[in-house]
Amino acid sequence: MTEEEEIMKSHDAFWQGYAARDLDRRFSVCADDVTFFGTGIHERAVGKKQYREMNETGIKQYPYPFDIKILWKYVRIFGDIAWVECDAEWVQGTGNKKSADIIRQTTIFKSEDHLWKVKHVHGSEPDYRLKAGEYMIDRTIADRNRELERQVFERTKELEDEKKRSEQKSLELEQTLFNLRITQKQLIHSEKMASLGLLTSGIAHELKNPLNFINNFAKLSKELMVEYNNEKNVQEKSNIMNDLTDNLEKIYHHGRRADNIVTNMLAHSRVSNTTKTDCNINKIINDALALSVVNEKSKNPSFNCEVETRLESSLPLVSLVLQDFSLVILNIIYNAFYSVNKKQKETTKKYNPHVTVMTKKVRNNVIISIKDNGLGVPDHIKEKIFEPFFTTKPSGEGTGLGLSLSYDIITNGHTGTIELNSSPEEETEFLVCVPV
């Protein structure tokens, strides 16, 4: 569409909207500070509100639509300002009672936000008292037209001044945007440094406990070996050897703890295999549940929890990084089992552990809900639940990296979302949403 066509599109919306008695259409292309001058002494308006009120009064007097046909037009464009001058035939009435009037229309436009907006309007009826070849022989009409021309000139100058102010403001905004980008880079750098500090602090804190145990038991074992070598009593030597065996088991246990922490850290920071394949989410969940139940029973033979699955059978295949997504489901199910186990041990009331896993397709997303009736998450720590190294588990039972890793996998690796809904002491629900 050419520039002139765009201008005439706004011109038609303005004038034909009025003919159709559609003021919303007419004023959709008007600037807020539009001005209007007509033939009558009181036909003037400053601002969209006043101009619309004038139109509404006119519609009350003549509510019927009519036709406007352009007989002649002349379009001039100067940068972001344009004039459209035309003679138009206004046909009003119905049947044999139609009247046709010629109206001289001058409409000034200014380009604002990629739309040509009406800034000034002048409409009047030609003076038929003038004879052919004569020009403004009536002094009153001539004076009034000169006044109108002066007003048009002043309005045009205002538009030009406004354009200069807009250009200056645009330069100022560009400078402000540049400064904001610099500030944003500095904030990102600060955030990275803060995250690095948090990571370093978390690593030191998590590794310090098992390493302290290892060092202490190694020191005790060294002292026991000295006692063993100096001891003559066979029974005492046997007792010392039993203590040494216990110490070595503890050293091994805490060594495994430190190894698990480092393994989880590496998983958290690694460049993951981002190859995605079409996967059956229901199968991933069933496999994860089966593995989790076996793992829990191996650690706690008395483990007893009702597991309910409500999996939508018609789910489409979803493009996933299988290993990463399976890890997310395992982490959440592990947390659910941990919560119901702990509540069962602590509560004195009748309690039936229950975990529910549901899947469903909502528009272009698959939603997985994993809900347990365990301890719930206190309100004051909900915002921290996905932070690295934050855990509600006692020392030795959690590294604080499972949910943080899960959050990264879902949000960054699969452009999805993961949310927590929880009622303390009642239930916890994790909602995982991934696009199909």
Side-chain angles (χ1 to χ4, degrees):
M1 186 181 292
T2 66
E3 201 166 27
E4 182 172 331
E5 288 173 337
E6 291 177 346
I7 293 166
M8 291 308 298
K9 181 180 178 182
S10 291
H11 186 273
D12 287 344
F14 178 77
W15 287 107
Q16 299 298 341
Y18 182 65
R21 296 327 209 186
D22 184 355
L23 294 186
D24 289 338
R25 181 186 177 198
R26 178 171 223 213
F27 284 93
S28 68
V29 293
C30 280
D32 290 336
D33 57 348
V34 62
T35 56
F36 165 75
F37 293 99
T39 303
I41 190 170
H42 299 298
E43 291 183 337
R44 61 177 178 270
V46 178
K48 185 189 288 188
K49 182 176 182 296
Q50 189 178 21
Y51 193 12
R52 181 162 183 145
E53 290 173 352
M54 178 185 291
N55 280 201
E56 288 170 350
T57 300
I59 288 175
K60 287 179 182 178
Q61 296 171 357
Y62 187 85
Y64 310 104
F66 59 95
D67 296 323
I68 294 179
K69 179 181 179 182
I70 295 178
L71 305 177
W72 170 89
K73 70 177 173 66
Y74 179 52
V75 181
R76 290 180 288 175
I77 305 171
F78 298 94
D80 61 348
I81 297 176
W83 280 262
V84 178
E85 298 163 322
C86 67
D87 284 349
E89 183 183 56
W90 289 26
V91 180
Q92 304 182 47
T94 58
N96 297 324
K97 294 184 178 180
K98 287 185 178 179
S99 64
D101 298 297
I102 305 298
I103 305 295
R104 292 272 169 85
Q105 299 168 180
T106 299
T107 313
I108 299 177
F109 295 84
K110 186 175 187 299
S111 180
E112 294 180 358
D113 299 326
H114 308 291
L115 179 66
W116 287 96
K117 292 287 190 76
V118 176
K119 300 288 282 186
H120 177 73
V121 184
H122 172 60
S124 62
E125 296 183 43
D127 190 350
Y128 293 103
R129 294 173 299 171
L130 296 180
K131 299 176 182 178
E134 294 178 340
Y135 178 75
M136 296 301 175
I137 58 172
D138 187 295
R139 182 175 297 278
T140 303
I141 295 176
D143 291 344
R144 176 152 182 77
N145 277 276
R146 277 196 296 271
E147 174 63 16
L148 289 174
E149 288 176 359
R150 183 190 66 79
Q151 291 175 1
V152 170
F153 174 79
E154 289 179 354
R155 182 60 182 151
T156 303
K157 190 174 184 305
E158 288 177 9
L159 292 174
E160 291 173 348
D161 292 341
E162 185 178 333
K163 178 185 177 183
K164 291 178 182 177
R165 288 193 296 270
S166 296
E167 289 174 348
Q168 179 62 31
K169 196 168 186 178
S170 178
L171 291 174
E172 293 172 359
L173 288 173
E174 286 180 8
Q175 182 62 42
T176 302
L177 180 60
F178 176 78
N179 293 338
L180 284 173
R181 284 173 177 162
I182 295 295
T183 304
Q184 183 187 39
K185 289 180 180 179
Q186 293 171 345
L187 288 172
I188 291 172
H189 177 72
S190 299
E191 182 67 23
K192 286 180 178 178
M193 292 299 100
S195 298
L196 181 60
L198 178 64
L199 181 65
T200 304
S201 173
I203 293 170
H205 176 77
E206 291 298 322
L207 288 177
K208 189 173 179 61
N209 285 336
L211 290 176
N212 281 340
F213 280 115
I214 291 171
N215 291 333
N216 289 336
F217 284 118
K219 182 179 178 182
L220 287 172
S221 297
K222 182 179 178 181
E223 293 172 356
L224 287 172
M225 285 301 300
V226 172
E227 290 182 21
Y228 181 85
N229 291 330
N230 295 330
E231 184 60 56
K232 304 299 182 181
N233 186 290
V234 174
Q235 182 60 43
E236 285 300 320
K237 278 194 168 189
S238 176
N239 292 338
I240 292 172
M241 188 57 65
N242 289 335
D243 290 342
L244 278 170
T245 302
D246 290 342
N247 285 357
L248 288 173
E249 288 180 355
K250 291 173 182 176
I251 290 172
Y252 174 75
H253 170 73
H254 291 289
R256 288 292 303 273
R257 273 189 61 201
D259 182 66
N260 286 337
I261 291 169
V262 173
T263 300
N264 282 334
M265 283 164 41
L266 291 173
H268 196 270
S269 61
R270 80 191 192 285
V271 177
S272 175
N273 175 17
T274 57
T275 302
K276 293 183 178 180
T277 56
D278 290 340
C279 299
N280 184 328
I281 285 184
N282 289 342
K283 183 177 185 305
I284 293 174
I285 290 172
N286 284 325
D287 291 346
L289 280 170
L291 180 62
S292 299
V293 170
V294 170
N295 184 53
E296 288 296 324
K297 285 189 176 294
S298 68
K299 294 188 297 184
N300 178 17
S302 63
F303 172 73
N304 182 26
C305 175
E306 181 183 356
V307 178
E308 179 184 1
T309 57
R310 286 185 248 161
L311 310 180
E312 189 174 296
S313 59
S314 59
L315 285 185
L317 297 178
V318 181
S319 181
L320 303 170
V321 180
L322 178 58
Q323 181 179 357
D324 287 357
F325 192 81
S326 298
L327 179 61
V328 172
I329 302 301
L330 283 167
N331 278 334
I332 298 176
I333 293 173
Y334 166 72
N335 283 337
F337 284 166
Y338 177 88
S339 181
V340 297
N341 268 334
K342 188 170 183 183
K343 185 172 182 177
Q344 190 172 35
K345 291 176 183 177
E346 295 178 355
T347 187
T348 57
K349 302 177 182 178
K350 182 179 180 181
Y351 172 64
N352 296 315
H354 189 93
V355 172
T356 304
V357 184
M358 296 183 291
T359 60
K360 62 179 178 179
K361 182 176 180 292
V362 179
R363 292 186 289 277
N364 292 323
N365 298 286
V366 170
I367 297 177
I368 303 103
S369 165
I370 301 176
K371 183 187 294 187
D372 67 76
N373 65 342
L375 294 171
V377 179
D379 292 334
H380 67 280
I381 65 171
K382 285 181 180 178
E383 294 182 358
K384 302 178 182 179
I385 204 71
F386 295 113
E387 291 181 3
F389 298 110
F390 180 82
T391 180
T392 58
K393 301 181 181 71
S395 178
E397 295 187 21
T399 63
L401 291 173
L403 288 178
S404 173
L405 177 61
S406 298
Y407 184 86
D408 284 344
I409 289 171
I410 296 301
T411 59
N412 295 330
H414 294 83
T415 62
T417 60
I418 180 170
E419 298 177 4
L420 166 70
N421 298 318
S422 183
S423 300
E425 304 300 330
E426 293 184 10
E427 66 178 21
T428 299
E429 179 184 32
F430 282 94
L431 287 172
V432 178
C433 177
V434 287
V436 176

